[in-house]
Each structure stands twice: as structure tokens, then as C-alpha cells.
Amino acid sequence: VTAGAGGGEAWVFRHDPQIRLATAVRLTEDQMLALLSSVSCPSLALFASDGYHGDASVRAARLAALPSLVDCRQDLPGAHHLHMTRPEAVAPHLLAFLDRLQRGGAA
């Protein structure tokens, strides 16, 4: 959250440009679970119906490892880059999540 136009607050989305670089480092599942368990900010998980599904038990374990998971929606219509190709499917869930946070309902 940052100062917005007119002095109010506004959400600002940022990303790390290095995330687009190829990497030779792949996390083990134990490392992935440790990383997820260290996330302290409120989290929203959205999964596309035609995305990378992987093993259902792995997905469940990863979601369970997120102590800050506020909401999870699975099988939204779309593919891996759901937020770019189907923003209309993502927007209502993202807006509801942000509204819940604004009202103090993160936990």
C-alpha cells in the first residue's frame, strides 16, 4: 500500500525482473515447504483449470504449509497465466481478497 492520488491509499503491484531469468537452481520439496511456511503476509491462491496441476497431494501439502493462506480458489477457467489471459476470472477473487484485508479479515 502506498499513497495514492488525492492523498488516499492505493495498492501498487511490483515484481522482481530477475524472476524471468532461467535458473539452474530447483528447490527440493522440503525446501519448497520450508519457504512456503515462512510466508507471513496474507496469501491468496488461485489455480487455473488448465494450469500446471502436478500431483494433487503435493499441491495440498504446499497449501497446508502456507500459514497465512486467507483464501484458495481452484479450477478457475483458464491456463497457467490466468491473471494475464483471463483477468475477468481473477479480478473478482482478487478484489474480494483485498477488500477482506482492508476490513481486517486477514486471518
Side-chain angles (χ1 to χ4, degrees), residues 2-10:
T2 188
E9 292 184 337

Side-chain angles (χ1 to χ4, degrees), residues 28-43:
T28 67
E29 193 57 30
D30 286 341
Q31 291 170 323
M32 177 63 74
L33 293 174
L35 177 67
L36 290 171
S37 70
S38 71
V39 174
S40 60
C41 63
S43 303

